[in-house]
Amino acid sequence: MQMSETEALRVGVIGAGARSKLALCAAESSIPARIVGVADVTERGRTRATAIFGSEPAIVGSLAELIDLGIDVAFVTTPDHTHADIAVELLRAGVSVYLEKPLAITIESADAVLAAAYESGSKLYVGHNMRHMPVVRLMHRLIGEGAIGEVKAVWCRHFVGNGGDYYFKDWHAERSKTTGLLLQKGAHDIDVIHWLAGAYSVDVTGMGDLAVYGGIPHRADNTDRVMTEWFSFENWPPTAQTDLNPVIDVEDISMVSMRLDNGVLASYEQCHFTPDYWRNYTVIGTAGRLENFGDGEGGVVRVWDHRTDYKPEGDRTYPIPAGEGGHNGADQLTVDEFLRFVRDGSPTDTSPVAARNAVAAGVAATDSLRSGSAPRRIPPLDPAVLQYFAQGQKH
């Protein structure tokens, strides 16, 4: 994109749900950017758009109207099952896309998005903001410095303590809109596992169940609300939840074992009815291991690099740096990276190929767990598309 350094990028937003506030980070970026339009297909969404973004941007009811405003970039923050079609239309229209994760809910649609970016030359960025979370960057740095030697295993336990509010009261609870939470919620952590290990999954085996929320009878249509309007720490215990989505056919506990293309073995476990909400990573190498306790400010990463018996304090302790704003500052950093990439072609720590491979692992693992835990192999990406993204989305 050829623009002067002072000319503001014209920003559009598609989908005025809870996550659409991410686009407000564009106004705080060092790259000049201005939100000129917001599209939502519902009247309620358009009303929310005005409340979130004010009266200056045009509030429209379709993607076509938004494109007609002459936008340079677009933030896609719609429900997951709409991501692929919207992204493809934008890319083919010459609009650079920030696509909220997951990239798509099937491997085929994820590949279609990457193919559209390859064929059109429009820039594609997928919002895997966890690569900018301080805890992840700290672990990635320690691994890169050789603190634990060569990585051989990565484990992640994800305690989704507010799952009843976050994922079982709206469309997230429906397979048709997410495939499953091992993909929808797990895509972040699978991507981080791949990043810490320096490789992608090639073989996966999944297991899971709908153990709690499927048996709760109190259901409601919450389409007139967003998550922030029903969330409460008082909604406890899980069996006392009310106003669950009318359709619940995704698992509330699931896990996947992975073999990566460099031989690293990894696992990811996710539970949506625990009382606490955080992620715990363990990375084991040829010269030690590291583990995080807490995943934000106040937490630590500990390294063990000497033989010992039980030693809870580790051999070295690293405080997790503080971060301001959404996801401990990662939202702003991710938007900044996206806008620099659009304007200058700057390299990014995120990757559409990595996003596709996180989707592929999540989809294959979900298929496995619903098929008697039969092993699944990840299909490869088109080599020409792979090469295009490897060279920074340049033909």
Side-chain angles (χ1 to χ4, degrees):
M1 176 175 293
Q2 298 298 320
M3 299 182 68
S4 71
E5 292 187 359
T6 57
E7 185 179 357
L9 292 167
R10 294 173 60 83
V11 177
V13 183
I14 302 92
R19 191 60 180 146
S20 64
K21 293 180 181 179
L22 171 76
L24 294 172
C25 294
E28 303 299 322
S29 176
S30 60
I31 301 296
R34 181 168 62 92
I35 298 173
V36 299
V38 183
D40 198 288
V41 297
T42 69
E43 184 176 348
R44 290 186 299 273
R46 292 190 290 275
T47 299
R48 280 197 302 269
T50 300
I52 294 170
F53 297 100
S55 58
E56 182 177 346
I59 308 300
V60 298
S62 70
L63 180 56
E65 291 175 277
L66 190 69
I67 293 172
D68 285 344
L69 294 174
I71 57 175
D72 302 307
V73 302
F75 287 82
V76 179
T77 55
T78 56
D80 296 359
H81 66 290
T82 68
H83 284 185
D85 288 345
I86 291 172
V88 167
E89 185 171 346
L90 286 163
L91 292 164
R92 289 176 176 169
V95 178
S96 297
V97 172
Y98 182 112
L99 184 57
E100 181 67 335
K101 74 86 201 166
L103 170 62
I105 67 169
T106 69
I107 299 173
E108 295 77 12
S109 56
D111 287 355
V113 175
L114 267 62
Y118 168 61
E119 293 162 2
S120 68
S122 302
K123 288 185 168 67
L124 172 64
Y125 186 99
V126 184
H128 276 284
N129 52 11
M130 279 192 67
R131 291 196 179 202
H132 284 285
M133 282 179 61
V135 61
V136 174
R137 296 189 78 81
L138 174 58
M139 291 188 294
H140 191 263
R141 176 177 65 80
L142 291 171
I143 291 167
E145 291 173 352
I148 59 171
E150 182 183 356
V151 173
K152 291 297 182 181
V154 186
W155 306 333
C156 177
R157 299 180 300 161
H158 193 179
F159 313 106
V160 193
N162 309 138
D165 279 359
Y166 281 129
Y167 301 104
F168 289 88
K169 294 188 175 181
D170 63 5
W171 55 267
H172 291 86
E174 302 179 33
R175 293 185 185 189
S176 63
K177 296 180 173 64
T178 63
T179 292
L181 296 177
L182 191 52
L183 164 63
Q184 202 288 328
K185 189 61 177 167
H188 266 319
D189 294 287
I190 293 171
D191 178 64
V192 170
I193 288 170
H194 289 167
W195 199 42
L196 297 179
Y200 298 128
S201 295
V202 290
D203 295 293
V204 300
T205 302
M207 183 176 292
D209 200 1
L210 179 56
V212 173
Y213 296 115
I216 296 175
H218 198 289
R219 307 297 177 92
D221 181 353
N222 296 309
T223 53
D224 61 340
R225 299 190 292 166
V226 293
M227 182 274 298
T228 52
E229 297 175 272
W230 64 65
F231 174 83
S232 172
F233 282 110
E234 301 305 313
N235 292 337
W236 184 261
T239 52
Q241 275 281 10
T242 60
D243 294 343
L244 296 185
N245 197 60
V247 176
I248 298 178
D249 58 4
V250 298
E251 295 75 17
D252 53 20
I253 183 168
S254 55
M255 52 201 71
V256 55
S257 298
M258 299 167 273
R259 183 183 298 275
L260 278 54
D261 58 29
N262 63 353
V264 168
L265 297 179
S267 67
Y268 169 67
E269 292 82 38
Q270 174 192 101
C271 181
H272 288 264
F273 45 86
T274 62
D276 48 343
Y277 194 0
W278 63 293
R279 297 168 167 92
N280 169 255
Y281 289 94
T282 295
V283 187
I284 304 173
T286 55
R289 76 176 180 94
L290 61 78
E291 184 173 354
N292 69 294
F293 296 86
D295 52 16
E297 185 178 2
V300 299
V301 173
R302 294 191 174 116
V303 173
W304 289 258
D305 55 11
H306 293 81
R307 283 189 168 176
T308 182
D309 293 318
Y310 179 62
K311 188 177 182 182
E313 71 277 12
D315 293 305
R316 287 178 283 155
T317 298
Y318 301 85
I320 297 171
E324 295 183 6
H327 290 89
N328 297 307
D331 284 354
Q332 184 67 58
L333 292 169
T334 310
V335 170
D336 289 345
E337 184 175 77
F338 166 62
L339 296 177
R340 288 195 303 271
F341 170 58
V342 171
R343 181 178 287 282
D344 307 324
S346 301
T348 64
D349 282 336
T350 65
S351 159
V353 171
R356 180 267 186 191
N357 287 330
V359 166
V363 168
T366 302
D367 180 58
S368 171
L369 72 85
R370 293 174 184 164
S371 304
S373 296
R376 292 289 183 261
R377 173 145 289 198
I378 307 299
L381 185 62
D382 181 325
V385 175
L386 184 64
Q387 177 60 31
Y388 172 70
F389 286 100
Q391 60 193 25
Q393 301 190 43
K394 297 175 183 177
H395 281 293

